Amino acid sequence: MGRIFLVELEGRTYKCKFCKTNLALAESVISRGFHCRRGKAYLFSNVVNVTAGPIEERMMLSGIHTVTDIFCVCCGQIVGWKYETAHEQSQKYKEGKFVLERGRIMDGLDSEFYIDTRPSSSDAEEA
């Protein structure tokens, strides 16, 4: 299979919800007003650490587009799609842009860790 090389991002990021791999910088968000079958989605100018599936024609709410699904390079989960070609003039701004599904990503500020609030032995000794 080979070695996986990951691009590290600095700053506020969006990560794969399944394996926490960096996918995009928050400053790359173009729009938070997109929707997909599973709910909300964000349009990005650039993403990293993804692989592309086969190119296909897909009917979307805004018309027919040529797209490719994008997958997390680390865990293989589908995270969104890339617009290859827009067939309507009003949709040309989407070409080359990426959509990440909100339910499949997490904000780098999201925290999923447990904080033990019980006093430890060193805390109890100070009291």
Side-chain angles (χ1 to χ4, degrees):
M1 178 167 173
R3 180 178 284 178
I4 297 174
F5 292 96
L6 298 176
V7 176
E8 290 296 321
L9 299 175
E10 292 186 22
R12 185 171 167 211
T13 61
Y14 287 94
K15 300 172 182 277
C16 174
K17 180 179 181 178
F18 305 98
C19 69
K20 314 295 187 278
T21 298
N22 287 326
L23 297 175
L25 288 169
E27 62 195 40
S28 296
V29 174
I30 296 171
S31 172
R32 290 183 172 85
F34 277 64
H35 295 279
C36 62
R37 290 183 207 137
R38 297 177 194 94
K40 293 182 179 182
Y42 296 167
L43 182 68
F44 288 83
S45 59
N46 191 38
V47 299
V48 297
N49 299 325
V50 296
T51 58
I55 293 175
E56 62 183 62
E57 298 287 320
R58 194 175 293 167
M59 183 59 157
M60 301 187 149
L61 293 173
S62 57
I64 294 180
H65 298 277
T66 304
V67 299
T68 180
D69 288 329
I70 55 174
F71 302 86
C72 175
V73 74
C74 214
C75 69
Q77 288 286 329
I78 185 169
V79 291
W81 67 89
K82 179 183 179 184
Y83 287 105
E84 297 291 340
T85 308
H87 298 282
E88 295 181 25
Q89 192 62 36
S90 64
Q91 301 298 309
K92 291 287 187 186
Y93 75 96
K94 296 177 183 177
E95 290 183 0
K97 307 294 189 298
F98 302 85
V99 173
L100 295 178
E101 298 178 16
R102 188 63 184 111
R104 297 181 168 273
I105 60 173
M106 61 184 284
D107 189 308
L109 298 178
D110 292 346
S111 59
E112 295 184 14
F113 57 88
Y114 172 74
I115 299 176
D116 188 356
T117 57
R118 295 174 294 170
S120 68
S121 60
S122 62
D123 292 335
E125 293 175 75
E126 292 177 11

